[in-house]
Amino acid sequence: MTAHRYLMYFFLLVGMCHHMGARPVRVGVYDNPPKVFFDPEEGPSGIFIDIITDVAKNEGWELSFVYGSWEYMMAGLENGDIDVLPDVAYSTARAEHLVFNTITVLPSWLQFYTLEKKPLMSFNALKGKTVAVLAGSVQKKLCEDLMVRLGIDLTIQTYTNYSESIDAVLYGAADALLASRFFSFSLLGKDFSPSPVILDTSTLHYAVYKGGGQETIVPVIDRYVMEYLNNPSSVYYQSIEKWLHQKPRYFLSVRTLVFLPVLVFVSGISVFAAFRYRRKAFLKSRDYERSYKDLQNALRVIQHNREDLARSFNERDTLLRELFHRTRNNMSIIISLMALKAETYGHREVSAFARDVELRIIPMQLAHDMLIQTQQLHAIDTAEYVDTLSNRLLSRYAGIQNRVTLVVEKSGRFDLSIDAAVPLGLVFSELLANSYQHAFTRGREGFIRIGIDQAENNIIIRYQDSGPGLSSDLDLAQVTTLGLRIIQDLVRTQLSGSIDFSRDNGFSCTIVFPAGPALPL
């Protein structure tokens, strides 16, 4: 009887020890989908939650979750209400009182988001605007630094969470909101679009409070994150595919991840040195022609890559949308970086060159952007493309929108393939640049009228401005100016069409090219 009692005590003690061995860990949760958020049906969700849940399962941790705003989470770390907070951007100021895990979980950057009908294309466009930022985040400090560095006068409005920031922009209390690149995944179904204006890059980590007694969690998380990054079938990549719809395309070793920032820095220095070395050459006219040829080659490469991807994967639509999205984002980054460089140097010729290149990239960016929004991914509306493109290009010329009235007349919907949309957009870029330089100088007011029609399987576009028109001594049959030559070459070689110039009532021209079938890609 006594032996039986001792045996019962032994198993009870073993059970108590096993229960006491489970380490309780309190995890903070705030709304920042798809990285971390609270789902009413699933509970705590997101990439960071998936990772720490798997770590806890392997380590025998007992997780509990505390939900609240970002400010509440940061205060909870300090006063000990929570042990670890996921999705925290590293900064030297935060590192003074927080301990971050060493291995980067996700890279990120901050960019501005606006309503689609009110795009934000440059830092100058922020002047006089109201920007919504998240209370207690680094966003406010970055906006204040931007105001001092570039002399931009803007109003900063703080909100408790992103839902309040979205409502502020939707109802006119703010013109734009500042958020990470992952923010676009929470805007499905809303009339928002990311701008090409990028403010800051950062790395995202797990964080614990320094001196709070939970520092031992950090090396454990680092060990698992390193294992996950080196295993394409790990929970890390499964979560990335689940929330971001991205599969791992290649494998990076730990050594590569460690030296990647160094490689990026060296590449940045090389690009900057090359830019300084060649900036004087960019001022010459022959380099404009060379740049135009480079753009044509880039378009061929993009087209070739798109066709290769379409043949290589069964999920055609998903992959094509991804390609167009990446192409559009790359063009947006190029525009933003060139604008920032031009503003940094403040040199008239450099600024003019940067604007000319930007005006040639915008038609390509818009064509891909509109194509992503279609169902079949092979055609866009000609009239809508021309109307949106003309307004967007005119907005890049200082003061001209207040003096010039743009009228677009259309008689129906005419499908336009991506192969025709890009050269047509470049034609309009040259036409509007010609009107800006010759028709509306010295504060002159007037109008630009664009007519779009279709007859006998041909698309007919009539362009007219109210300027002084072409010089009377200019031979319309033998145009020699660079801009008009580029327009003629694009229409004849890229669109297989014809163009006629006229001196009646200012400058005018008529472009005719075959509509052609918009074949699926």
Side-chain angles (χ1 to χ4, degrees), residues 50-64:
D50 291 344
I51 293 173
I52 198 168
T53 300
D54 193 71
V55 173
K57 176 182 177 182
N58 294 323
E59 289 293 315
W61 294 349
E62 183 177 344
L63 296 184
S64 60

Side-chain angles (χ1 to χ4, degrees), residues 3 64-65 105 156 192 219 231 251 273 309 320 335 371 373 404 420 465 468 472 486:
S64 60
F65 298 95
V105 180
I156 303 172
F192 277 78
N231 182 7
F251 177 78
L309 285 173
L320 283 176
I335 291 174
L371 204 61
Q373 301 174 22
V404 177
D465 67 41
S472 58
I486 291 176

Side-chain angles (χ1 to χ4, degrees), residues 165-200:
S165 299
I166 293 174
D167 291 339
V169 177
L170 286 174
Y171 296 111
D175 300 296
L177 63 89
L178 184 61
S180 71
R181 70 181 181 102
F182 299 98
F183 185 67
S184 59
F185 291 93
S186 65
L187 293 175
L188 298 177
K190 296 183 175 64
D191 297 330
F192 277 78
S193 65
S195 76
V197 182
I198 296 174
L199 190 57
D200 186 49

Side-chain angles (χ1 to χ4, degrees), residues 36-77:
V36 57
F37 63 100
F38 186 84
D39 186 278
E41 297 180 357
E42 302 293 334
S45 303
I47 299 173
F48 280 83
I49 299 301
D50 291 344
I51 293 173
I52 198 168
T53 300
D54 193 71
V55 173
K57 176 182 177 182
N58 294 323
E59 289 293 315
W61 294 349
E62 183 177 344
L63 296 184
S64 60
F65 298 95
V66 181
Y67 177 71
S69 66
W70 167 257
E71 283 187 306
Y72 179 77
M73 291 297 102
M74 293 298 290
L77 271 182

Side-chain angles (χ1 to χ4, degrees), residues 319-332:
L319 293 174
L320 283 176
R321 291 182 191 278
E322 176 70 13
L323 175 61
F324 292 145
H325 179 73
R326 290 179 180 271
T327 302
R328 181 194 65 183
N329 283 353
N330 288 339
M331 293 178 181
S332 297

